[in-house]
Amino acid sequence: MRRAGLLLAAAALVFAAPSFAQDQSAAPVLVNASAFAAMRSEEARYPLFAAELERMRAEVDASMRAGINVPVPKDPGGGFTHEQHKRNYRSIYGAGLLYRLTGEPQYRDFARDLLLAYAKLYPTLGPHPAAANQVPGRLFWQSLNDSVWLVHGIQGYDAIRDSLTPEQRRTIDDNVFRRMAAFQVGEKANFDRIHNHATWAAAGVGMTGFVLRDPGLVEVALKGTDKSGKAGFLRQLDLLFSPDGYYSEGPYYQRYALQPFVVFAQAIEANDPQRQIFQYRDGIVLKAVTTAIQLTYDGYFFPLNDAMPDKSLKTEELYQGVAIAYGATHDPGLLSIAQWQGRTVLSPQGLEVARDLAAGKARPFPFASMLLRDGPAGDQGALAILRDGPGAADQVLVAKNTAQGMGHGHFDKLGWLLYDQGNAIVTDYGAARFLNIEAKDGGRYLDENDSWAKQTVAHNTLVVDEASHFGGKLKAAEALAPRQLAFVGEGKTRLSTAEMAGAYPGVTFRRTLVQMDIDGLSHPLVIDLLKVKGGKAARYDLPLHYSGQLIDTGFPLKSYVTTRPVLGQANGYQHLWVDATGRPDAANGRITWINDGRFYSWRTATPGTEIILAESGANDPKFNLRREPAIIQRLEAVKDATFVSLIEAHGRYDASSETTVGSKSAIRALRHVRGGDADLITIELVNGRTVTLAIADDVQSGVAHQANGLRWTGHFGRFDSAGKGAAQ
Amino acid sequence: MRRAGLLLAAAALVFAAPSFAQDQSAAPVLVNASAFAAMRSEEARYPLFAAELERMRAEVDASMRAGINVPVPKDPGGGFTHEQHKRNYRSIYGAGLLYRLTGEPQYRDFARDLLLAYAKLYPTLGPHPAAANQVPGRLFWQSLNDSVWLVHGIQGYDAIRDSLTPEQRRTIDDNVFRRMAAFQVGEKANFDRIHNHATWAAAGVGMTGFVLRDPGLVEVALKGTDKSGKAGFLRQLDLLFSPDGYYSEGPYYQRYALQPFVVFAQAIEANDPQRQIFQYRDGIVLKAVTTAIQLTYDGYFFPLNDAMPDKSLKTEELYQGVAIAYGATHDPGLLSIAQWQGRTVLSPQGLEVARDLAAGKARPFPFASMLLRDGPAGDQGALAILRDGPGAADQVLVAKNTAQGMGHGHFDKLGWLLYDQGNAIVTDYGAARFLNIEAKDGGRYLDENDSWAKQTVAHNTLVVDEASHFGGKLKAAEALAPRQLAFVGEGKTRLSTAEMAGAYPGVTFRRTLVQMDIDGLSHPLVIDLLKVKGGKAARYDLPLHYSGQLIDTGFPLKSYVTTRPVLGQANGYQHLWVDATGRPDAANGRITWINDGRFYSWRTATPGTEIILAESGANDPKFNLRREPAIIQRLEAVKDATFVSLIEAHGRYDASSETTVGSKSAIRALRHVRGGDADLITIELVNGRTVTLAIADDVQSGVAHQANGLRWTGHFGRFDSAGKGAAQ
């Protein structure tokens, strides 16, 4: 029976699988019966899909062995009732699909019995007893989880609904799904927010509307509780993503937010195709998926803002996202992502992914340098990604010139990250949180998330007078965004220039980050030019958080080897131990570290800077922080300042062959001068070659500049001693 | 011509490869002509061998493009002349083999021209100018590297020697190899040592003897400079390995020492087969190879004594060792090691490996619990390895009950390590060294190797009064070894008991480490019982160095969050920061950490112990140390003491699915009482089950014991509450 072709044929057989579609008016709508039949006939043919089916079978079978358990809600996240209700929605979803894909009635029975148990429990529930500062749910401590339950539960229910008796159907329709949808819509303030929590709510309510044949619910889901369109799914699509598909909270939450967007969009496409939801707003749903993929390195999301750095594309949201986007576009680059994920989903689109992967249609995903504008209108700053190449080991520079990104945003305007050889080199701490680990504050964001992870000094950007941007205040931070002034993603000199005004009263700072290919060097050089204009004399700190073991410094250190001072009192400074300090001269401002067998030499040409070598972990009695090193450039009592630094990847230590090559920097000197209306940065290599980068204050293209005998047109010019002048 | 079968047929073809064997009296002897011909005819058939040939070709071709460069020796390790002479011996070796395997004369010419350049340079050389505290070489700062040059150079030369003119041959024979061999033999004290440096010398000299048809050189190599047999290769085979094939310096140096043993043994087998070198001393050469493999976890060597923890089986010595052992035994378990290595060597044995791997003959290598006796007679303690299973993710406990192991030995009698899920959990620091990284003291052992890595407190064993075992004195340490008293490698209760007397004057300590499978727990529990009998009241510290992020402790901590004291003044204590201290009561002595998504709960039942949470990295102005956490149990002013602790692996944090299970310990209590002549350790699980382990002082089997109502026979008894009495 696994390959039954037509439904009627199947139903006609004695001892065959149960006949689907006992009641046509209850036929499945999220995935229709013929699509299920097609999956059932092909399920075993393609390894990725067959494996998915086996995985789901193992999971649901285990739940079936454990038996029906629908407890009265009690525990917060991570606790037993919380985890059991999560298991239950996965069981309902999985058992429903398995019923359709295998024809085995025990799966239908299990999903049905679970739902009947919920039909008894749910009407008795009030607000969850463990509710905290989030909107309380009924099954869970926060209503968000209730929405997620609904999105999964309705899909499982849709798959079995036509095989139930009218009485069972009425019971479950009325006592589970109508009530759950009503609860979500009734939390009006939450439902009408422009926020990913509301997207989950809209998706659950809208899909429930399709399944219960209730157009009113669908309309509320699409257009908000008052059906005006000022809220609801479509408005969320308008406002939560930028025109480039960037989600305001950052990559980690973009990943998380994605699932209700793509799952509900797929349901709309199936039930209301004339709406052309995948074309809505210039294809924003699909853009959100491919942009999410662009926001990764070696498969891991850039850990900007509140983010777990161990989060990769191997996640349920992206299995769904990749499959749905592939179903809509058949872009073969998505297949290589599915291949890396090693997973897909049990849907018609997942079947297509598995089928086309098996047919060898995968092509490399086109990872590329790109500027992703932020804000609904694309005018709230941007994320600038510079890539040395499309590969997982190529060098990637990420300039975080985005807006605040709501409550999960960190206070690091114009911060940046660097990846190389598959590793994070210039790092972002991400969130201070141990997700779902109960002993660590129930798995919630820790106090150290506020006291350290969100603070500016925990990032790679300017700190004025030991205070965080906007005083660490969300409302102030949301009012202002950086301006992306220039971006060049291709060629031998790739560059981003952005400016932030108002992160501190009276202070404007501008940063140019450059990734330069230089003949004879095997990896690009990274140049960092950060210029501050302040209203009054202040202390300027520019931290650089790196990953690796320090090898040596070019300048002498004063080391704190028996007592390490704590760097400061507040705003994250209380979490930094001082290992050493030093004052490089114009020639020796170099620090070399090693990461994964490759050397990284950082170099400064900032005049008069003190260097502080620090490590996170002070004032951390509960061992909540990771202990990671940082280099801080510090200028005291200055009004205007220019920080110039550079990172060079070089050499190779090979543990197998016990050989080391290129452990010394290939750079002899880094110099900076101001000339005309430009900054001139000169890199002198040990082999005698010099490269000068001229960066004009004026970011316009087409404008001619000259300084110190150099002439160029546009924002920057590049002058290689081996070449004959400017080449951009 | 790549598949030319017989030499005569090949030689008869016009435009064919050069005829080998122009002079039969100079025909190759280390690998004979027909073996070379067989390799040449099959080279392309087996992927592993073909890849090796391409790799060698790429390396030698690059050297050929760079040209002949035989500089006057000047630099120490890591410097240019050092690295160039290393490249040159690899080039001579590789070009010689390539000439035979491809028939292309440019490889012969390159090897020949390099050797002729050495023939000019070598006679002019005296002791190396950068010689330090090692025996000076001529080409290198230490004669060891000269020996390595000779071992490689003679193999390359052997491959081309019959194609040279008599004049060229005489020049190279006399001015390179005879002189090099004479230099090695002339350094009499070094040559006659029982030490791996002397094995390299013997191998080089002996192989030179075979190639130059000089039996006198061979005899010196086998039996020492006076040919008495008191020194030389055979004596080294007698004394440097234990009867179980364990090398006295530990796994890292076992790996390093292996190459001259196996390569020279193979040469002896080829040229003097009636000596039956592979049967010598009960097959010690082959045992040394398989034992080296047993000394790994997930392919990485246990980092005991001076060792780089990044050293794996992917190393030249083990490519050679695996191929030569396979050639001698055809043990299919070795093929799976070659598969993991992804490499082999360009030798007849390497060809066999590649051929049989391609034929699918590989079987899993039989990793197993085993006791490896130490010392030439097997009576100098032992290394005890307890394995939960043969897989790379299974749990492995290593008890270091070995002798000192010469100058590279660390002062940690009865120390131990634990591996689980592919990771080191209870760790050994290994050596403080950045191999071949010039900026770190030229890549040599750092001062911190003596001040930290070798000291007892840097390990997981007893420290008395903050001093290291034997006062950190090598001579005293070499005089005494632990006694291995009991070992059980199989069954549900695996165990090692050993005793050390005299590491401190008047102090004897005994340690039983147990790996127990317990029904209902998914991973074995580890029990650690360490009993001290001291002559006078002292401070006893028992450190546990672990890898992971601390989650929480069962007892309150006094934290040093703004000023971390340094734990002590000397003997490694000066390198430990104190993070926190605490005094657990009888019920709450638990610390949980997480490593790679699995939780580890450590638990103590040591009465009255203070707990110190520490981190390495104090007094380290050059950032030479890794910063790693340790738990120290401290007892003050006691004479006799019993430390009882336990490690439990449990649960799973899954970043992809954002789920956490089993983050809480499944153990409710750990109790210890003394009863009769035994220690009774009881583990009480949360589910009510209890397991009591009774460990008698008497280690004899067959002796009946009773204590607290329990009866058992032999060293230990186990009593599961679910069972009905003792089961071992």
Side-chain angles (χ1 to χ4, degrees), chain B residues 107-117 160 164 168 172:
Chain B
Y107 292 120
R108 190 261 323 271
D109 297 351
F110 185 55
R112 179 196 62 208
D113 293 349
L114 274 168
L115 287 167
L116 288 171
I160 65 163
L164 304 184
Q168 289 164 343
I172 297 169

Side-chain angles (χ1 to χ4, degrees), chain A residues 311 436 564 655-656 658, chain B residues 311 314 436 564 655-656 658:
Chain A
K311 202 55 161 180
N436 279 326
R564 298 204 291 183
S656 276
E658 300 199 345
Chain B
K311 201 53 152 182
K314 292 181 184 174
N436 279 327
R564 298 204 292 182
S656 277
E658 299 198 348

Side-chain angles (χ1 to χ4, degrees), chain B residues 479-491:
Chain B
L480 293 171
R483 286 193 307 143
Q484 181 77 34
L485 301 175
F487 180 78
V488 178
E490 301 303 321

